[in-house]
Amino acid sequence: MTAGLLPRLRAILAHDVLRFAVLVAIAAFLLDWATKSWALQALEHGGAPLGSLMLGIERNAAFAFSAGEGRLPFEVVIGLRILALAGVLLLFWRVGARNRRLAAGFALLIAGGSGNAADVLFRGGAVVDFIHAGPFTFEVGGELVHAGFVFNAADVAILLALGLLAPLIQEWSLGGQRRIAEWEARWLRGRQRTE
């Protein structure tokens, strides 16, 4: 098994775009791990203001915006996180080497997802969030809504990744819409013939 892995690793490191992606992913993961480690030590006993932001530890034992908090067991949360990472790795393997923008996008997405999954596995079963933004007040349907966000460096990496991958996501979306429209047209023609 090791004999087959070494040639693959050499092939990745020899490929300019893939080597770039590996470096971006490692750097983003290490930055996330280091900032969370700092936050756990420096903010252990309270928060600290940072301009319009506030630094303070929050733990999220579920998904983004605490979706599923308290309703899903640890095994389901980590299983879904790992499954999502496997899906992103598969997509990266298929299309990520097209150019540096896509490679960086997939690398940041993998690093962000890995950083948060590593928290769940190695930091007490919950993601460590420590950057507080808000509260923001805005009007929705004539009512004032107050919202705030708590995030970490992995979340920032994921948002940057989505920005870098937006053209690819749009390309896939348009392709899907085109296939659905073609299917509908065939289905309607088939119905008209049977009537």
Side-chain angles (χ1 to χ4, degrees):
M1 177 145 173
T2 308
L5 184 62
L6 288 175
R8 288 183 186 163
L9 185 58
R10 284 190 190 112
I12 289 170
L13 294 177
H15 193 284
D16 184 43
V17 174
L18 293 178
R19 186 173 57 243
F20 172 73
V22 168
L23 292 174
V24 168
I26 290 171
F29 178 85
L30 291 176
L31 176 67
D32 177 61
W33 188 265
T35 57
K36 288 173 182 173
S37 297
W38 169 83
L40 285 170
Q41 287 183 347
L43 305 171
E44 180 181 9
H45 299 295
L50 179 66
S52 61
L53 302 174
M54 182 70 176
L55 301 180
I57 300 294
E58 293 280 334
R59 294 191 177 270
N60 177 1
F63 302 107
F65 307 113
S66 297
E69 181 95 38
R71 289 181 290 221
L72 297 172
F74 166 81
E75 295 80 11
V76 171
V77 171
I78 195 62
L80 289 173
R81 286 181 181 275
I82 291 172
L83 188 63
L85 276 169
V88 171
L89 281 166
L90 179 64
L91 286 174
F92 171 68
W93 193 253
R94 296 186 76 201
V95 298
R98 283 191 204 170
N99 58 51
R100 284 182 181 258
R101 187 194 76 234
L102 291 179
F106 278 110
L108 289 170
L109 195 56
I110 291 165
S114 298
N116 285 338
D119 282 356
V120 174
L121 283 171
F122 303 113
R123 288 187 164 145
V127 174
V128 176
D129 290 323
F130 64 94
I131 306 168
H132 298 254
F136 302 105
T137 303
F138 50 93
E139 189 175 327
V140 176
E143 293 193 32
L144 290 179
V145 175
H146 304 284
F149 304 98
V150 184
F151 55 97
N152 57 41
D155 299 331
V156 173
I158 291 168
L159 286 174
L160 289 172
L162 293 175
L164 290 169
L165 295 173
L168 181 64
I169 293 167
Q170 182 180 19
E171 176 186 321
W172 287 344
S173 174
L174 292 174
Q177 289 173 357
R178 190 171 34 258
R179 286 189 294 279
I180 289 170
E182 290 168 0
W183 176 84
E184 284 178 335
R186 284 193 310 270
W187 183 76
L188 287 173
R189 281 193 303 270
R191 278 191 61 144
Q192 289 171 351
R193 285 186 204 136
T194 59
E195 292 177 352

